[in-house]
């Protein structure tokens, strides 16, 4: 491994392409910690936002008017406001109203740190879109299919679980993929509340070494990689879930 | 219409030739009629925004003076610690006047104007009840900072502090006042000025450490114009400001505690 790091030191000396995040052990440690933070942040918010979307879309289909109003209110609040403002509001305003934990040497710790708030905000932001995406899928399930299931004696929950959701998921998967890819890219906003993710650590590195161009390119490559893996996985899921006669895969008819 | 095209072509030619010669960049600024300066918008009292929305502060006064002497209009662009050099490199601004400390890496990326107009070291702002005395006390503690500041790394590397850096000073202050950070690592001049400017708010706070790494604050112009007339002009102006005591006067006007650096520079010249 040392040989690889030394090659980057040579690249800097010979060609002036300065990537200290590979040859300087301190920069390397913080850059890869930042990469890990971005991966954790993305994974947690992708999963949580899908769960929020499923629950929200289910609640929209219930007969309780209160539940429907609440979901509508949530979707309007989080879909129609900028995520950067949500993040600042939740972290600086709401976060400071919560009870506190005891810290070392007479200090106190906030109940939730910046990372936790970033996961919460991104999940709620992504989830608000997911509610609408799942709703579009659910509404596209033909009424005749639902009637057929009902006549076979399916109850409300079993109907949702075994007929509506499996079909809806297949219909809305392309839209869901778009939103989840967007969510991963939105995770860079967490730099605003001091979460040491990729953009944050890269900015600190380029401030120390003045290698903006190299770091920008590295950031680009890193995000193309992360998003590439996610969209590859979603595409595989779409293929695996394919039901002959329902919809298309990857635009093929 | 035709004359306007001819005028812009002439201007373009003028810019290109001056860029090639790399000397008379003052003429280029005067030709476009505006001096674009990158300033801080959140660094009271050096560069900040007053309730009416205008840029004010000690550095803004300096920028105004420079534009007046060149006989051009002043345009100010808010910059941050992490983006100011890049703004200069891309030619979005002609001059950095934004609490920038002098470091070897920055000297390579830009033309730093000597002599410096100010100086400050690194210290922390912390609650008195924290009982911080030595830099070693910060090990494992959550310390707020500013994104892009050069001292974040030594404080984390040498003393094991966990730096949580924000894009601007106000966010870090909110976190510090709420108790989410145990300290705020910053330029000692800013801390000293904060402690006196709003004494009621900061009554429980102190600047407890021994200031380390005194760094000069410098103006900077594009690296390409190292031998340009603008750099020479600014350098002469800085000398003049030290000699006449203009900087000490500005410092006093803005309620900044007297800096030993300005006093020494004034006495030397």
């Amino acid at each position: 491994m040392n040989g690889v790091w030394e090659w980057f030191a040579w690249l800097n000396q010979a060609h002036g392409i300065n990537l200290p995040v590979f040859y300087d052990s301190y920069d390397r440690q913080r850059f890869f910690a930042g990469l890990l933070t971005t991966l954790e942040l993305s994974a947690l918010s992708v999963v949580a936002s899908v769960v929020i979307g499923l629950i929200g879309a289910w609640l929209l289909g219930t007969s309780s008017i209160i539940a429907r109003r609440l979901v509508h209110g949530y979707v309007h609040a989080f879909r129609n406001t900028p995520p950067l403002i949500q993040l600042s509001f939740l972290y600086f305003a709401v976060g400071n109203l919560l009870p506190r934990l005891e810290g070392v040497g007479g200090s106190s710790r906030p109940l939730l740190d910046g990372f936790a708030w970033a996961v919460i905000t991104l999940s709620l932001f992504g989830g608000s879109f997911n509610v609408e995406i799942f709703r579009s899928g659910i509404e596209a399930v033909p009424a005749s299919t639902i009637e057929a299931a009902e006549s076979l004696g399916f109850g409300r929950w079993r109907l949702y679980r075994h007929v509506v959701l499996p079909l809806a998921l297949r219909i809305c998967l392309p839209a869901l993929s778009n939103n989840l890819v967007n969510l991963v890219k939105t995770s860079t906003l967490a730099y605003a509340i001091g979460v040491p993710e990729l953009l944050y650590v890269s900015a600190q590195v380029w401030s120390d070494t003045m290698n903006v161009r190299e770091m920008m390119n590295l950031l680009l490559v890193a995000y193309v990689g992360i998003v590439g893996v996610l969209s590859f996985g979603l595409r595989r899921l779409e293929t695996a879930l394919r039901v002959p006669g329902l919809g298309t895969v990857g635009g093929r008819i | 219409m035709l004359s306007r095209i001819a005028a812009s072509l002439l201007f373009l030619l003028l810019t290109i030739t001056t860029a090639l010669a790399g000397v008379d960049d003052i003429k280029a600024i005067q030709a476009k009629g505006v001096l674009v300066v990158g300033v801080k918008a959140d660094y009271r009292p050096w560069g900040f925004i007053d309730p009416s929305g205008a840029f004010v502060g000690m550095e803004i006064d300096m920028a105004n003076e420079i534009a007046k002497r060149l006989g051009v209009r002043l345009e100010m662009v808010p910059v941050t610690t992490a983006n100011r050099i890049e703004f200069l490199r891309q030619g979005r601004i002609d001059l950095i006047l934004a609490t920038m400390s002098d470091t070897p890496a920055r000297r390579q990326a830009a033309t730093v104007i000597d002599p410096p107009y100010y100086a400050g070291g690194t210290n922390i702002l912390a609650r008195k009840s924290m009982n911080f005395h030595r830099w070693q006390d910060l090990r494992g503690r959550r310390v707020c900072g500013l994104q892009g500041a050069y001292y974040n790394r030594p404080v984390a590397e040498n003393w094991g502090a966990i730096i949580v850096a924000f894009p601007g000073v106000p966010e870090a202050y909110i976190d510090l006042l709420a108790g989410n950070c145990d300290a705020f690592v910053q330029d000692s001049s800013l801390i000293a000025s904060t402690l006196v400017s709003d004494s009621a708010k900061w009554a429980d706070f102190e600047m407890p450490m021994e200031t380390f790494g005194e760094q000069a604050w410098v103006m900077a112009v594009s690296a390409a114009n190292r031998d340009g007339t603008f750099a020479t002009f600014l350098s002469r102006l800085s000398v003049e400001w030290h000699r006449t005591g203009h900087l000490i006067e500005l410092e006093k006007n803005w309620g900044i505690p007297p800096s030993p650096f300005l006093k020494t520079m004034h006495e030397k010249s």
Side-chain angles (χ1 to χ4, degrees):
Chain A
M1 208 59 187
N2 264 338
V4 178
W5 305 145
E6 276 159 24
W7 184 80
F8 281 101
W10 168 84
L11 191 68
N12 179 29
Q13 281 157 14
H15 297 285
I17 297 171
N18 189 8
L19 285 166
V21 296
F22 294 113
Y23 65 78
D24 180 289
S25 66
Y26 183 82
D27 279 346
R28 183 164 66 224
Q29 187 266 331
R30 61 175 169 179
F31 182 77
F32 283 100
L35 180 64
L36 195 66
T37 306
T38 288
L39 291 176
E40 283 171 359
L41 192 58
S42 307
L44 287 172
S45 13
V46 160
V47 171
S49 75
V50 168
V51 172
I52 291 173
L54 286 172
I55 295 173
W58 183 69
L59 285 174
L60 280 181
T62 58
S63 51
S64 159
I65 190 153
I66 297 171
R68 292 204 308 259
R69 287 255 167 88
L70 279 176
V71 175
H72 276 305
Y74 154 68
V75 169
H76 279 287
F78 278 89
R79 192 190 57 181
N80 302 354
T81 51
L84 184 58
I85 292 173
Q86 293 170 12
L87 203 60
S88 297
F89 175 73
L90 288 177
Y91 180 78
F92 290 113
V94 179
N96 290 339
L97 297 175
L98 295 183
R100 308 180 63 80
L101 306 172
E102 210 158 293
V104 279
S107 62
S108 65
R109 303 248 140 256
L111 191 61
L112 298 168
D113 62 3
F115 180 82
W117 278 118
V119 171
I120 292 171
T121 314
L122 290 170
S123 305
L124 289 172
F125 174 69
S128 65
F129 284 88
N130 286 352
V131 169
E132 291 296 275
I133 289 171
F134 283 124
R135 186 173 68 88
S136 74
I138 288 166
E139 284 179 0
V141 175
S144 54
T145 311
I146 294 172
E147 270 170 30
E150 275 171 345
S151 68
L152 285 172
F154 276 80
R156 223 196 95 68
W157 168 245
R158 286 182 60 217
L159 180 72
Y160 189 71
R161 164 83 185 71
H162 294 291
V163 180
V164 177
L165 200 58
L167 291 175
L169 187 68
R170 287 166 170 83
I171 295 165
C172 69
L173 211 49
L176 185 66
S177 304
N178 275 347
N179 190 39
L180 296 184
V181 163
N182 237 332
L183 190 60
V184 169
K185 294 187 292 183
T186 310
S187 75
T188 47
L189 290 184
Y191 86 94
I193 55 166
V195 177
E197 44 72 64
L198 262 183
L199 179 60
Y200 172 105
V201 290
S202 305
Q204 188 64 53
V205 170
W206 80 54
S207 298
D208 287 345
T209 14
M210 302 293 151
N211 57 342
V212 181
R213 202 175 346 138
E214 288 94 328
M215 289 311 295
M216 282 291 180
N217 281 308
L218 192 61
L219 261 183
L220 220 67
V221 170
Y223 274 99
V224 166
I226 295 169
V227 171
V229 168
L230 176 68
S231 49
F232 175 75
L234 288 166
R235 187 66 169 270
R236 286 291 295 266
L237 186 69
E238 210 181 317
T239 319
L241 291 179
R242 197 170 89 95
V243 174
L246 179 82
T248 62
V249 171
R252 267 178 286 132
I253 302 189
Chain B
M1 185 67 199
L2 210 64
S3 66
R4 201 186 288 170
I5 293 172
S8 28
L9 271 179
L10 192 71
F11 172 65
L12 197 71
L13 201 70
L14 205 72
T15 336
I16 292 168
T17 43
T18 39
L20 282 177
V23 275
D24 206 356
D25 42 348
I26 286 189
K27 208 170 248 173
I29 292 167
Q30 283 168 341
K32 68 179 171 158
V34 57
L35 174 71
V36 189
V37 183
V39 295
K40 283 279 176 92
D42 62 356
Y43 219 92
R44 183 186 285 259
W46 282 275
F48 62 105
I49 291 174
D50 74 358
S52 76
F55 288 101
V56 287
M58 175 168 167
E59 290 177 337
I60 311 309
D61 287 351
M62 292 163 65
N64 270 309
E65 172 104 24
I66 294 168
K68 207 174 89 189
R69 295 224 186 173
L70 294 178
V72 293
R73 195 165 55 79
L74 174 66
E75 188 185 317
M76 285 175 284
V77 176
V79 295
T80 69
T81 303
N83 71 17
R84 57 193 167 193
I85 297 251
E86 204 48 31
F87 269 48
L88 187 68
R89 272 185 173 178
Q90 293 176 2
R92 287 166 194 268
I93 53 179
D94 301 315
L95 168 68
I96 295 181
L97 194 41
T99 68
M100 189 172 82
S101 299
D102 186 6
T103 69
R106 289 173 185 164
R107 254 178 202 266
Q108 260 190 354
T111 303
V112 161
I113 306 296
D114 286 310
Y117 62 89
Y118 211 78
T122 304
N123 212 313
I124 60 164
L125 181 62
R127 248 173 241 280
K128 288 172 184 160
S129 61
M130 287 289 161
N131 263 322
F132 288 135
H133 298 296
R134 298 170 314 137
W135 285 97
Q136 284 84 342
D137 297 342
L138 292 180
R139 180 162 299 280
R141 304 299 282 268
R142 209 180 114 108
V143 177
C144 278
L146 206 57
Q147 280 169 15
Y150 72 91
Y151 39 72
N152 291 348
R153 177 169 174 166
V155 171
E157 212 176 4
N158 302 341
W159 297 299
I162 300 161
I163 302 282
V164 181
F166 289 90
V169 177
E171 291 102 309
Y173 277 163
I174 295 173
D175 233 36
L176 181 68
L177 283 169
N180 296 343
C181 299
D182 296 337
F184 177 32
V185 59
Q186 246 309 316
D187 194 281
S188 56
S189 319
L190 177 77
I191 300 175
S193 131
T194 302
L195 284 171
V196 296
S197 68
D198 199 347
S199 44
K201 195 162 149 195
W202 300 102
D204 299 335
F205 287 79
E206 59 176 349
M207 185 164 73
M209 304 303 194
E210 191 185 323
T211 299
F212 82 89
E214 175 138 308
Q215 291 279 347
W217 290 17
V218 285
M219 293 183 268
V221 298
S222 155
N225 296 351
R226 212 168 281 276
D227 310 311
T229 47
F230 191 36
T232 319
F233 161 79
L234 288 171
S235 187
R236 286 205 189 118
L237 190 60
S238 183
V239 171
E240 184 195 318
W241 279 345
H242 279 298
R243 199 184 55 238
T244 59
H246 182 59
L247 291 169
I248 294 179
E249 199 178 300
L250 283 178
E251 184 187 42
K252 201 153 74 187
N253 287 351
W254 288 102
I256 304 166
S259 108
F261 171 79
L262 285 189
K263 199 163 163 278
T264 326
M265 289 298 277
H266 178 56
E267 280 162 5
K268 267 203 301 193
S269 56

